[in-house]
Amino acid sequence: MVAAYSLVTKFGAKQKDVATVLGCSQATVANWVKEVGFQKEINGLQRELNDANEYIEELQHMLPPPEEDYIDGDYSEEDDY
């Protein structure tokens, strides 16, 4: 998958040519390129979150405690908006 992604995005190869070389369909290569792109984006966001965790923890300690109806990251009743 990563090889297909790199060949298409970094080297400008056509998906159908990559598919021929890898012995799969062009649709498979298209899906791999899309999936690796999503994984790359997710990993980038995860790195940003990891880098920001210390700051996030400082902010969290500055906030008042959650309300009683707050359970496991969500409100048990309708959210107040």
Side-chain angles (χ1 to χ4, degrees):
M1 285 181 12
V2 174
Y5 175 85
S6 291
L7 288 168
V8 171
T9 61
K10 297 190 186 289
F11 296 100
K14 293 181 181 179
Q15 291 180 1
K16 68 177 185 165
D17 295 334
V18 173
T20 300
V21 169
L22 295 177
C24 60
S25 70
Q26 182 272 328
T28 297
V29 171
N31 288 332
W32 288 347
V33 169
K34 191 183 312 182
E35 186 173 337
V36 171
F38 289 151
Q39 289 174 358
K40 185 177 173 185
E41 185 175 338
I42 289 167
N43 288 336
L45 293 174
Q46 185 61 51
R47 276 192 294 276
E48 284 184 43
L49 183 59
N50 290 342
D51 292 344
N53 269 339
E54 185 176 317
Y55 180 61
I56 291 167
E57 287 177 15
E58 287 176 26
L59 293 176
Q60 185 266 331
H61 292 297
M62 296 169 63
L63 296 170
E67 296 180 13
E68 289 181 25
D69 59 350
Y70 183 82
I71 299 173
D72 292 330
D74 203 3
Y75 284 97
S76 60
E77 297 181 15
E78 285 189 28
D79 293 350
D80 295 328
Y81 289 110

